[in-house]
Amino acid sequence: GGGGPPRPALAALHRCLATVRASVRLQQAVTARDRLRWRCRAARRARLLAAEQCADLEERLKPGDDGAADEVRDILDGLGVPPAPDEPAPAGTAPWTCNVCRSSQRTRGWRCPFRHRHCRDCMVRWAEASVSPTCPREGCGYHLGEHDLEDLRVSSTRLEAFRANRLEQGLVDLQENADSQVTV
């Protein structure tokens, strides 16, 4: 025998590998477009873009025109819209270790104002598991706000539960404040 797989089997293996690579590239392109859509909504929340402008940029992100994605990225970069936490770190950036899962990361990650850094996957799990999530770093105490949950792209159900909890807590605080006031 010839020491390796027969030629038809080798050709089939190469076709299979090419299909898998194409599928991975397609998934990476879809994920990159999703991150750009998130950045458009972040720009709208920050009032850097009007709703119509955001809709126009999101329309450009439809599959097929990869050059449009680069153009949208350039526009958002020019407006100073921060990249998504799961956006790949710039080339040449040293990997870092997530403080929760302890795995080496090559993404930008999420940071609290005290610069404690965690990967997006860990932060989403952390935020989904707590009514009022805080930075996972022991002793930090930073309470995640609505903008943090939006930046992490938690589920819409989780975001609505967070908003409802904040509203309820605000009403309790108002009632306690009203009860503690002395009338003369």
Side-chain angles (χ1 to χ4, degrees), residues 119-129 152-155:
C119 71
R120 178 185 172 265
D121 290 345
C122 285
M123 285 305 301
V124 168
R125 281 192 296 277
W126 187 263
E128 295 275 353
L152 292 166
R153 300 188 314 276
V154 297
S155 68

Side-chain angles (χ1 to χ4, degrees), residues 114 116 134-142:
F114 303 103
H116 303 139
T134 59
C135 173
R137 182 72 166 260
E138 190 174 336
C140 176
Y142 172 73

